[in-house]
Amino acid sequence: FASCFGFNMPGGDGKFHFAIDRGGTFTDVVCKLPDGQEVVSKLLSEDPHHYPDAPTEGIRRYLEKYDKDSGIDYSRGRPVTTKNIGSI
């Protein structure tokens, strides 16, 4: 799946890279972490009681979980800082 989005490059470049496929029921979020590891998650495309936009929420969740050293607050409801994102 990830290689379909051009994630087949070896290693990491220190940035987060995202490929997102929003469907009618689910949104798939593929993330290449700064160290080169790839992770995949699936969210409901529509879940207004928990988040207003599934792609943004998927990105926010990965940054919140894996970007521990930057000190950036990725709490829900705040704008997502893009300085550590290499591509979407």
Side-chain angles (χ1 to χ4, degrees), residues 10-87:
D13 65 358
K15 297 274 188 178
F16 290 85
H17 296 272
F18 294 93
I20 300 171
D21 177 25
R22 184 180 188 136
T25 303
F26 292 103
T27 295
D28 298 306
V29 181
V30 179
C31 178
K32 185 164 188 169
L33 301 174
D35 66 2
Q37 177 186 356
E38 293 179 10
V39 289
V40 179
S41 65
K42 187 177 289 275
L43 296 102
L44 287 171
S45 292
E46 298 291 329
D47 193 358
H49 296 292
H50 294 103
Y51 45 83
D53 180 67
T56 302
E57 178 65 12
I59 291 169
R60 187 199 67 76
R61 287 181 184 185
Y62 279 126
L63 293 172
E64 183 177 59
K65 183 173 182 177
Y66 293 103
D67 187 20
K68 296 294 185 189
D69 296 332
S70 72
I72 297 171
D73 181 5
Y74 294 108
S75 298
R76 190 174 292 136
R78 296 179 54 90
V80 176
T81 302
T82 59
K83 76 176 207 166
N84 293 327
I85 297 175
S87 64

